[in-house]
Amino acid sequence: MGDSQKTMLFEDMPIPQAVMKLSVPTVISSLVMVIHNLADTFFVGMVNDPVQNAAVTLAAPILLAFNAVNNLFGVGGSSMMSRALGRKDMDTVYRSSAISFYCSLIAGVLFSFPGD
């Protein structure tokens, strides 16, 4: 997407249309997570062991917590970037984008290691 298209999305596009366009990746992310949990439950349920099925069910809130951290950086960074775009402060836009990206990357690496 070119710079003119990005600027057009935030400055010229009607708000309902822009929200719909920007909400699609979040909705797809949530759908993928739900489908992943359903597939896990289905295939583990075929083993006919209630303990393993309970383990999959208990792991679902942990995945939701990871998604919440992901949304924290995504939504928080987007809010900061939209305010900076309104002020035409492109330096803050670039910095907040980088901070959101690297913080989410670091959080992903930290949460990937199992705790003791």
Side-chain angles (χ1 to χ4, degrees):
M1 186 181 294
D3 285 341
S4 63
Q5 288 178 331
K6 292 177 190 174
T7 305
M8 192 265 312
L9 175 69
F10 288 105
E11 292 180 357
D12 299 331
M13 190 177 286
I15 291 174
Q17 188 177 359
V19 168
M20 288 299 292
K21 186 169 184 153
L22 292 172
S23 67
V24 169
T26 303
V27 170
I28 290 173
S29 170
S30 296
L31 283 175
V32 166
M33 192 175 72
V34 167
I35 291 170
H36 179 266
N37 287 338
L38 286 172
D40 277 350
T41 304
F42 175 75
F43 288 111
V44 171
M46 291 176 65
V47 177
N48 290 328
D49 185 5
V51 174
Q52 290 180 1
N53 201 9
V56 171
T57 304
L58 290 174
I62 296 170
L63 291 174
L64 285 172
F66 291 157
N67 198 18
V69 171
N70 177 27
N71 286 335
L72 172 76
F73 292 118
V75 172
S78 296
S79 173
M80 181 183 268
M81 286 183 273
S82 66
R83 286 180 280 154
L85 280 170
R87 291 189 310 265
K88 305 281 191 213
D89 183 7
M90 297 310 276
D91 187 48
T92 303
V93 173
Y94 295 135
R95 286 184 183 185
S96 61
S97 174
I99 288 171
S100 294
F101 174 75
Y102 288 119
C103 285
S104 64
L105 189 66
I106 290 168
V109 169
L110 289 177
F111 287 139
S112 295
F113 296 115
D116 290 336

